[in-house]
Every structure is written in C-alpha cells, then in structure tokens.
Amino acid sequence: MRNEADIAASGAFNRINRFAEFDIIHQSWKFETAFLYRYTPDLFTPGGDSAAWAGNFLSPFSARVWFFSLLTLAAFSIIWVLFEVIDGKFLDKRDNSQKQETSTECALNAKDKLKAACIERVLQTFGACCQQGMDPNPKDRSVRFLVMTLFLFSLVMYNYYTSSVVGGLLSSSDQGPATVDQITSSPLTISFEDIGYYKVLFRESKNQSITRLIEKKLSSSRSSKELPIFSHIEEAVPYLKAGGFAFHCEVVDAYPVIAEFFDANEICDLREVSGLMEVEILNWILHKNSQYTEIFRTAMCNAQEKGFVERILRRRQIKKPTCLSLYTVYPVSISGVLPAFIILICGIIVSLTLLCVEKLYVRLKMANCRV
C-alpha cells in the first residue's frame, strides 16, 4: 500500500549514495558475472592477439630477418651466376645438350645463354631454399660447395622457423579473447541473461567498451534460428557447447548446467572473460534507523556463527567445473592454413602465366629465325 519495502534481501550493489539512506545488515554473496564461451581453434591468440597471429606465416621472423634472408639468397644466386660466367670464359666448358641442336633452331648467343643461366640459377636457389633436390647435379667443386652451403643455410632457417611456430602454439597460455574489447572484436555471437541488470547497464552506461559492444554485437537483428540478445542459461548452454558463442551471466548459475551438459574435454575448453560488470559483495539492506535493524543483525550473526551461511554458500556458490583432461589437442582450422592454400594457388597461377609467356616467346623467336 505504501509502495515501499522495509527490507531488501535480494541484494543491492555498493553505491555511495545508498550509504546515507540504508543500513547494511549482512554481506556474503559475491556477485560475479562473466562472458562464458568455449574455446575453438578459430579463436587462437598467442600473445593475446587472435586476428593478427592466426595463420600468419610471416610472424616467426622479424622484418629484418626476412630482409637479410632474401639478401643472402640473392647473393647466392649472383655468386652462382658468376661461377657460370667464369667457367664459360676461362675453362671453356660446354654442356653436351647444347651441342645437339637441330638445324631448324636458332643458335643462342652469349647474352641469351647468360640470361637463361641467371633465370635457372635463381629458380635453383629458390628450390634449394624450399629444400628440394638439385637436377642436374653441379659438376664443379666450387658450385657444389656453394650448393651445399645453401642447403645448410635453408635447413638451419627452416628449423628456426618451425621451432618458432610450434613453440608459439604450445607455450601460449592466453588462448582466446581475454578482455571485453577482444570479445567485441572476435567472431563470437553474444547474448545476455534475461535480467534487469544488463538492460539498465546498456541504457545508462557511458563506458566506451560497452558502447562499442552494443554497436558491433547487439545492433543488428537476429534470425529466429539464432539465440536472442536476452535469453536464459538453459537455452544458451547448447550454443556454448557448439562453440562460436559467448553468454554473459552470473557464473554460479551457469556452472551446474555446464557441468551437466559438457563432457571432460569441453569443460577444459571453457573460458571466462570478466570486466563488463564489477565483482561485488551484495548487501542486505534496511532503511536507515529501521526498527528491524538490530533484529536482523542479531539473527544473521547467529546464522554465521553456527555455520548456516557457510553451508548455504557452499551449496549455492558452486565452483567452476574442474578440467580433468591432462591435455587437449585442437585440430587445425581452415583459417589457420588458408594462407598456405593462397600461396599455392598464386604459385600455380604465376607458373601457368610464365609457361604461356615462354611458349609465346619461343614461337615468336622461331618465326623470326625462319624468316
């Protein structure tokens, strides 16, 4: 009838303006909320940067190392070509295949031979860097020593490269988004528990992280097959289990449902990201100088001394399910190997283009020779 409450036992946040109006009679419940999601390989983030690192083949070496590696390979190619020129001028060595030219073919001059040798040596240097074989094998001892050094260089660099990649995959402890901003930037779909806290938070908060979260994750409409923005834990857990989804709720309410539906490996994949709302000890409050203050304070002190409060907290504030698996093997996702396929496709396209150019060049040169 008065539209008032004599006691609020559902819990109240600690706000400065409330201390002048209310008396606190008990504090025991820790209000802890977080984004819960299941880690998948698409969210891999060594060093905490998922989008920039995943599948990036340039990350193991710095820009300076890549530059000096390319410079070294270029030096190998130039030295190899110089060996060919020296052998051709002073040792007068000829390949047997060059002597068996038909009468219909045009003889290559010295410049054409040098150009062909340069292209061939560059390709052989690139092949050695990729740890491919050498065909035909060089006959000169100087060239053989150069090739052996080149293979040794590529082997050492390859070992450093693979060690960096594997070490980064194994040693990373920051797997998946770890902050609210990273959750916003991730491909995760987000929903919230259908309680009044979040609706008030979104309406009144001026925090930049929350503003970005609303603009990027909550502004677009969702289909009927997707989980709505505000939902319940029981409805959200199947989406958490499938992956690619994050649900924000009070964690102690979600743990029992997760323990029921998740298997051992899925529990190990469970991640938490807090920061959207502060972790606080909630208050039972009464009006200032209420006639019930001493009664409730005496009753709650008695309950604490006899262990009733601790017993209730043990039953209600359930701990996070324990990960029982010693290790988890994550399969490589398509996003992790996509750059490799892109490089392969680009290499095939470049090879076909060079083949067409070579065919056209030879055809035009043969036509000029006949004329």
Side-chain angles (χ1 to χ4, degrees):
M1 294 177 64
R2 291 182 291 132
N3 197 26
E4 295 178 357
D6 290 318
I7 179 171
S10 61
F13 289 109
N14 295 298
R15 300 291 183 264
I16 294 178
N17 61 337
R18 294 178 178 176
F19 292 114
E21 302 292 336
F22 302 108
D23 287 328
I24 299 173
I25 59 173
H26 180 67
Q27 287 182 317
S28 63
W29 185 267
K30 183 173 70 171
F31 183 79
E32 183 179 5
T33 61
F35 284 103
L36 300 176
Y37 69 93
R38 184 186 169 198
Y39 168 74
T40 56
D42 291 335
L43 302 174
F44 182 71
T45 63
D49 190 4
S50 58
W53 206 96
N56 191 346
F57 289 174
L58 301 179
S59 296
F61 290 159
S62 64
R64 184 175 297 180
V65 175
W66 284 115
F67 173 76
F68 279 107
S69 298
L70 294 176
L71 193 64
T72 303
L73 294 178
F76 272 115
S77 301
I78 294 173
I79 295 173
W80 200 342
V81 172
L82 289 177
F83 283 167
E84 293 288 338
V85 173
I86 294 173
D87 290 343
K89 285 187 176 182
F90 297 98
L91 301 179
D92 195 27
K93 291 185 177 180
R94 296 291 185 269
D95 193 357
N96 294 330
S97 61
Q98 293 179 355
K99 297 180 180 179
Q100 299 174 357
E101 296 177 344
T102 61
S103 59
T104 58
E105 294 177 340
C106 298
L108 295 174
N109 54 31
K111 185 180 293 186
D112 292 334
K113 290 181 179 180
L114 181 60
K115 186 186 298 184
C118 291
I119 297 175
E120 185 177 357
R121 299 306 169 245
V122 170
L123 290 177
Q124 287 180 331
T125 302
F126 180 75
C129 180
C130 296
Q131 298 189 356
Q132 302 301 310
M134 191 72 67
D135 187 25
N137 293 324
K139 299 179 180 180
D140 298 335
R141 293 182 178 179
S142 58
V143 178
R144 285 187 175 184
F145 184 80
L146 180 69
V147 170
M148 182 180 67
T149 307
L150 179 59
F151 274 107
L152 183 61
F153 169 78
S154 64
L155 178 64
V156 173
M157 296 301 290
Y158 177 76
N159 286 335
Y160 273 109
Y161 182 91
T162 53
S163 299
S164 177
V165 173
V166 175
L169 292 172
L170 295 178
S171 64
S172 174
S173 60
D174 184 17
Q175 295 177 338
T179 63
V180 175
D181 289 334
Q182 290 180 5
I183 287 283
T184 304
S185 302
S186 71
L188 292 168
T189 303
I190 296 176
S191 288
F192 294 83
E193 190 176 2
D194 192 10
I195 54 179
Y197 295 129
Y198 306 116
K199 299 175 183 179
V200 176
L201 179 69
F202 296 152
R203 185 176 67 246
E204 299 182 358
S205 177
K206 305 299 181 181
N207 190 300
Q208 293 297 324
S209 297
I210 297 178
T211 302
R212 286 193 296 268
L213 178 69
I214 295 174
E215 292 176 353
K216 190 169 183 179
K217 293 291 188 180
L218 308 180
S219 299
S220 59
S221 59
R222 300 187 180 184
S223 64
S224 58
K225 296 181 180 180
E226 294 180 307
L227 196 67
I229 295 176
F230 295 103
S231 182
H232 298 286
I233 295 174
E234 291 77 9
E235 300 172 355
V237 167
Y239 289 87
L240 288 177
K241 184 181 177 70
F245 180 85
F247 188 68
H248 196 278
C249 62
E250 192 173 0
V251 292
V252 295
D253 292 335
Y255 288 155
V257 186
I258 289 173
E260 181 180 355
F261 286 95
F262 279 41
D263 60 28
N265 290 329
E266 292 168 347
I267 289 175
C268 294
D269 295 340
L270 188 64
R271 302 287 187 269
E272 294 182 11
V273 176
S274 59
L276 194 63
M277 300 183 70
E278 297 179 1
V279 178
E280 294 194 36
I281 301 295
L282 297 185
N283 305 319
W284 285 19
I285 59 175
L286 286 169
H287 287 289
K288 207 72 174 179
N289 301 320
S290 171
Q291 58 182 332
Y292 304 111
T293 301
E294 292 301 322
I295 297 176
F296 279 106
R297 279 182 176 173
T298 302
M300 292 310 304
C301 287
N302 189 29
Q304 282 183 300
E305 291 174 356
K306 293 184 177 180
F308 291 130
V309 174
E310 184 180 357
R311 180 174 180 270
I312 293 173
L313 291 178
R314 278 203 306 266
R315 295 180 58 187
R316 290 289 300 132
Q317 287 197 325
I318 300 174
K319 303 297 182 181
K320 181 180 178 180
T322 305
C323 174
L324 301 178
S325 179
L326 295 178
Y327 59 89
T328 303
V329 177
Y330 298 108
V332 177
S333 62
I334 187 64
S335 63
V337 297
L338 188 59
F341 285 103
I342 293 176
I343 293 174
L344 177 62
I345 294 172
C346 292
I348 293 174
I349 294 174
V350 172
S351 299
L352 292 176
T353 303
L354 292 176
L355 177 62
C356 295
V357 172
E358 288 179 354
K359 291 290 185 182
L360 181 61
Y361 176 77
V362 172
R363 182 171 296 180
L364 291 176
K365 192 158 189 177
M366 294 296 296
N368 293 334
C369 289
R370 292 192 182 96
V371 174

